[in-house]
Amino acid sequence: MKKLMVVYGLLIVSFLVYVVMYRMDEGRSAAWEDGGLRGSIGENYVMVTFQSGMEYWKNILKGFEDGGDALGVSVEYRGATQYDVKEQIMVLEQVIAKKPAGIALSAIDSSALTATINKAVDAGIPVVLFDADAQGSKAYSFLATNNYNAGAAAADKMAQLLGREGEVGIITQSGQQNHADRTSGFKEAIAHRYPAMKVVAVKEGKGDAIIWRDAVLEMMEEHPDLRGVFATEASGGAGAADAVIAAGRKGELRIIGFDTNKETLDRISDGTVSATIAQGTWNMGYWSLQYLFHLHHGLTVPAPTLGNDVAPLPPRVDTGITIVTRENVDDFYAK
Amino acid sequence: MKKLMVVYGLLIVSFLVYVVMYRMDEGRSAAWEDGGLRGSIGENYVMVTFQSGMEYWKNILKGFEDGGDALGVSVEYRGATQYDVKEQIMVLEQVIAKKPAGIALSAIDSSALTATINKAVDAGIPVVLFDADAQGSKAYSFLATNNYNAGAAAADKMAQLLGREGEVGIITQSGQQNHADRTSGFKEAIAHRYPAMKVVAVKEGKGDAIIWRDAVLEMMEEHPDLRGVFATEASGGAGAADAVIAAGRKGELRIIGFDTNKETLDRISDGTVSATIAQGTWNMGYWSLQYLFHLHHGLTVPAPTLGNDVAPLPPRVDTGITIVTRENVDDFYAK
């Protein structure tokens, strides 16, 4: 009987020790939760684009997902399938109706989406924009490549490749601001920084690699001393590569392309293209998610509730570029 | 005896239930720790400035500290006491010697600190810059006000105050790029957006409120139709305020100032100054800390170890501005 009482007593003590330990652990867990940045799995952040099949979005979505994983929240991707303003507005309306914790949007048109964006913000759903802006909307931030600087960086790389001298040309898409900015960044950097270099030709147009191949072959004929070509978009780089192969000048006439589609990366691997400009797509997605999280949780100073004329977040973020060459090309193939 | 056995049995069951619950809670705690962004208290991030007594740094440090609290890491502030290049280099060297987890620096001189910054980065200590850049250094990002845009925002506010018409003047400090950018942002926004407005005078110089008071009184005499003044720095705004009081034109001739020192805020409260431009100082500190945390923990894509020509983080962040008026001035007094 006495033995039983001892066992009984020991059990009660052990039990109390466990209760105390359990309480302490609860306290520690709460501190962890307070100390770190963490949302809840019920928080849903949505990334919205147009032309949802485009390879270009993949790495942005990867950054958005990585941000969601880091902060312990849910993310979702919704895209209009076509390059169609009305379809994107419809998708955005559907997303708003579900009252997500935040929306990261690439706007197909800089003014057509403003009313729908403002509707979301007025309903208390934070919106940030990436890659393509909707100026004048109530979105809190715009995260994208500074295309002028990207063009200037391409000029610096070209100068390095050519020993800071020689004639160069540009092929670029007409009628789009991002391509115009890349072109002027390249031209002005050459003009201001490299006195022994000259931009002798700029061909503007639209089209696939075949059209650009012919344009570059023409440029080579018109300028026999041409030593380099900067293409402001992917199909131009592919066309220029075809041209130097056709002319038997592979590796001698230097090409710098833009973006990191598989064809361009392959041309870097085989030495036809010297470099390409990779946009900071992961940064666009990751920091968009971070910004939406901070807005949703009221972590910004000043608070967005102060009204207009207020920047609770950095309103403009240059997400940067990386220059891809044969040395680091393997890091840029899709994994 | 049988009653005792029942109690005994119940106790064992309760005990086991507690053990199981405790284990489950441990599991949940570990998930919290993994899921959220959180460092350790042993991680020390250092903010380094010059003229450490300046009121302007306070809110940047607040953002830096808030970032540290959010991520559960330690922060420290170190500043050269004077406006002295050598002293700041010495302070930075001392900070590097302690091998902190990261350094956020406002560079007193855009080239003199480059070697010391690069030394830190080469030693594996992440460095970001805020407010004042060191172009060409290996620092990973620069977070600061886009002064051109800030000037343009001041022009928009002035246009709103004046009903989009009338003559305006600018007083600005000579020889500093940030002031030159604010001036040209203001001038070009007026020229391009407000055809019924005109910048009729720009006075450049240096000095305290008394000198600027006299300059504005002079400007008012030379341009009797002058309806507004934009001052690109704080003492200019104070001087302009003194001038309109001396001329008996308080509230009639509109003044827009820059920054949020106590004197400017008081002049907004009493109606002498219509608005001032608050820089996104909290954002500079908070997002500097976040960027350093991400570099220290290897959370960026691409990784900084890929070498030069790589942007693991957004290289340039416009930290934004807020327009302070009588409506929201109370939020900007130091708390």
Side-chain angles (χ1 to χ4, degrees):
Chain A
M1 186 68 188
K2 269 194 184 167
K3 270 187 197 164
L4 251 180
M5 286 305 280
V6 170
V7 172
Y8 192 9
L10 277 175
L11 270 171
I12 289 179
V13 169
S14 315
F15 177 61
L16 287 175
V17 166
Y18 261 92
V19 170
V20 169
M21 281 177 69
Y22 180 62
R23 294 276 143 158
M24 277 173 62
D25 191 63
E26 265 192 318
R28 205 163 63 236
S29 304
W32 282 352
E33 206 186 15
D34 289 342
L37 280 181
R38 190 177 198 285
S40 69
I41 211 75
E43 270 170 62
N44 195 36
Y45 296 86
V46 188
M47 170 173 151
V48 179
T49 70
F50 46 91
Q51 280 185 295
S52 53
M54 227 162 66
E55 199 185 328
Y56 179 72
W57 308 122
K58 277 185 191 168
N59 204 39
I60 302 177
L61 181 59
K62 179 70 168 59
F64 199 71
E65 288 170 343
D66 284 352
D69 286 347
L71 294 166
V73 298
S74 304
V75 302
E76 194 184 328
Y77 173 57
R78 294 292 310 278
T81 50
Q82 303 299 314
Y83 191 89
D84 179 348
V85 177
K86 280 185 188 157
E87 193 194 351
Q88 197 185 26
I89 291 174
M90 201 182 69
V91 169
L92 187 55
E93 294 275 6
Q94 289 167 350
V95 169
I96 293 170
K98 288 185 179 176
K99 300 192 194 303
I103 299 170
L105 173 76
S106 182
I108 188 171
D109 181 294
S110 68
S111 58
L113 280 117
T114 299
T116 318
I117 292 168
N118 293 355
K119 185 177 153 185
V121 173
D122 291 339
I125 303 168
V127 179
V128 299
L129 294 157
F130 63 89
D131 197 58
D133 202 1
Q135 284 185 327
S137 80
K138 291 183 179 176
Y140 292 97
S141 188
F142 174 49
L143 303 97
T145 305
N146 180 320
N147 284 296
Y148 181 92
N149 289 353
D156 289 337
K157 187 68 194 175
M158 186 64 88
Q160 189 200 328
L161 292 168
L162 300 183
R164 306 168 78 98
E165 58 181 28
E167 296 184 354
V168 293
I170 302 172
I171 52 177
T172 182
Q173 205 157 317
S174 51
Q176 266 184 255
Q177 192 58 43
N178 50 352
H179 292 280
D181 289 345
R182 289 168 197 171
T183 301
S184 50
F186 186 87
K187 280 169 80 173
E188 289 177 25
I190 295 286
H192 296 150
R193 299 177 198 165
Y194 305 104
M197 292 179 73
K198 199 178 175 192
V199 177
V200 292
V202 179
K203 292 209 186 270
E204 278 191 42
K206 245 173 200 162
D208 58 18
I210 296 168
I211 292 170
W212 287 121
R213 182 198 62 195
D214 294 344
V216 172
L217 284 170
E218 202 180 280
M219 199 186 274
M220 287 161 74
E221 252 179 60
E222 287 163 7
H223 303 279
D225 292 335
L226 194 75
R227 297 186 57 212
V229 171
F230 170 46
T232 70
E233 48 93 52
S235 63
D242 293 343
V244 298
I245 290 170
R249 293 188 62 193
K250 174 178 157 175
E252 177 205 329
L253 191 146
R254 300 300 200 131
I255 300 165
I256 296 181
F258 216 97
D259 287 331
T260 55
N261 60 339
K262 189 174 176 302
E263 190 170 12
T264 301
L265 296 179
D266 287 346
R267 287 306 192 191
I268 287 178
S269 299
D270 76 15
T272 318
V273 170
S274 301
T276 192
I277 309 296
Q279 299 189 63
T281 43
W282 187 90
N283 275 329
M284 294 181 202
Y286 184 86
W287 295 105
S288 287
L289 194 285
Q290 278 268 4
Y291 280 8
L292 293 173
F293 180 90
H294 279 76
L295 288 165
H296 177 75
H297 288 274
L299 298 173
T300 65
V301 175
T305 48
L306 284 177
N308 291 332
D309 296 339
V310 166
L313 284 173
R316 182 74 175 80
V317 176
D318 173 9
T319 42
I321 56 148
T322 294
I323 296 177
V324 183
T325 62
R326 219 163 169 173
E327 282 174 41
N328 61 352
V329 67
D330 289 340
D331 294 314
F332 289 83
Y333 278 100
K335 272 147 202 159
Chain B
M1 186 70 190
K2 270 194 180 161
K3 270 187 198 164
L4 250 181
M5 286 303 281
V6 170
V7 173
Y8 193 10
L10 277 175
L11 270 171
I12 289 176
V13 169
S14 314
F15 178 61
L16 288 174
V17 166
Y18 261 90
V19 170
V20 168
M21 282 176 71
Y22 180 61
R23 295 277 142 153
M24 276 174 63
D25 190 62
E26 267 192 316
R28 204 162 62 237
S29 303
W32 280 353
E33 204 186 16
D34 288 344
L37 278 181
R38 191 175 197 283
S40 69
I41 209 75
E43 267 170 64
N44 195 36
Y45 296 86
V46 188
M47 169 173 152
V48 178
T49 71
F50 46 91
Q51 282 185 296
S52 53
M54 227 162 66
E55 200 186 327
Y56 178 73
W57 307 123
K58 277 184 192 168
N59 205 40
I60 302 177
L61 182 58
K62 180 70 169 60
F64 199 71
E65 288 170 343
D66 285 353
D69 286 347
L71 295 167
V73 298
S74 303
V75 302
E76 193 184 330
Y77 174 56
R78 294 293 311 278
T81 52
Q82 306 298 315
Y83 192 89
D84 179 350
V85 177
K86 280 185 189 155
E87 194 194 350
Q88 198 185 25
I89 292 174
M90 200 182 69
V91 169
L92 188 55
E93 293 274 7
Q94 288 166 353
V95 169
I96 293 169
K98 287 185 178 175
K99 301 193 193 304
I103 300 171
L105 173 78
S106 181
I108 188 171
D109 182 294
S110 68
S111 59
L113 281 115
T114 299
T116 319
I117 293 167
N118 292 355
K119 186 178 151 182
V121 173
D122 290 339
I125 304 168
V127 179
V128 299
L129 293 158
F130 64 89
D131 197 59
D133 202 2
Q135 284 185 326
S137 80
K138 290 183 180 176
Y140 292 99
S141 187
F142 174 50
L143 303 97
T145 305
N146 180 321
N147 284 296
Y148 181 92
N149 290 354
D156 289 338
K157 187 68 193 176
M158 186 64 88
Q160 188 200 331
L161 291 167
L162 300 184
R164 306 168 78 97
E165 57 182 27
E167 295 183 356
V168 292
I170 302 172
I171 51 177
T172 182
Q173 206 157 313
S174 51
Q176 269 185 256
Q177 192 57 43
N178 51 352
H179 292 281
D181 289 345
R182 289 168 197 170
T183 301
S184 52
F186 186 88
K187 280 169 81 172
E188 289 177 25
I190 295 286
H192 296 150
R193 299 178 199 165
Y194 306 104
M197 291 179 74
K198 199 179 174 191
V199 177
V200 292
V202 180
K203 290 208 187 274
E204 278 192 44
K206 244 173 201 162
D208 59 17
I210 296 170
I211 291 170
W212 286 121
R213 182 198 62 195
D214 294 344
V216 172
L217 284 170
E218 202 181 280
M219 199 185 275
M220 287 161 73
E221 253 179 61
E222 289 163 6
H223 302 278
D225 292 335
L226 193 75
R227 296 184 61 211
V229 171
F230 170 47
T232 69
E233 49 94 49
S235 64
D242 293 344
V244 298
I245 290 171
R249 294 186 63 190
K250 174 177 156 175
E252 181 205 328
L253 191 145
R254 300 302 200 130
I255 300 164
I256 297 181
F258 215 98
D259 286 329
T260 56
N261 60 338
K262 189 174 176 300
E263 192 171 11
T264 302
L265 297 179
D266 286 346
R267 287 305 193 191
I268 288 176
S269 299
D270 77 15
T272 318
V273 170
S274 300
T276 194
I277 308 298
Q279 299 188 62
T281 43
W282 188 90
N283 275 329
M284 294 180 202
Y286 185 85
W287 295 105
S288 287
L289 194 285
Q290 279 266 5
Y291 280 8
L292 293 173
F293 180 91
H294 279 76
L295 288 165
H296 178 75
H297 288 274
L299 299 171
T300 65
V301 175
T305 48
L306 282 178
N308 292 330
D309 296 341
V310 166
L313 284 172
R316 182 74 175 80
V317 176
D318 174 9
T319 43
I321 55 147
T322 294
I323 295 177
V324 183
T325 62
R326 219 163 168 174
E327 284 174 40
N328 61 353
V329 68
D330 290 340
D331 294 314
F332 288 85
Y333 279 100
K335 271 148 202 160

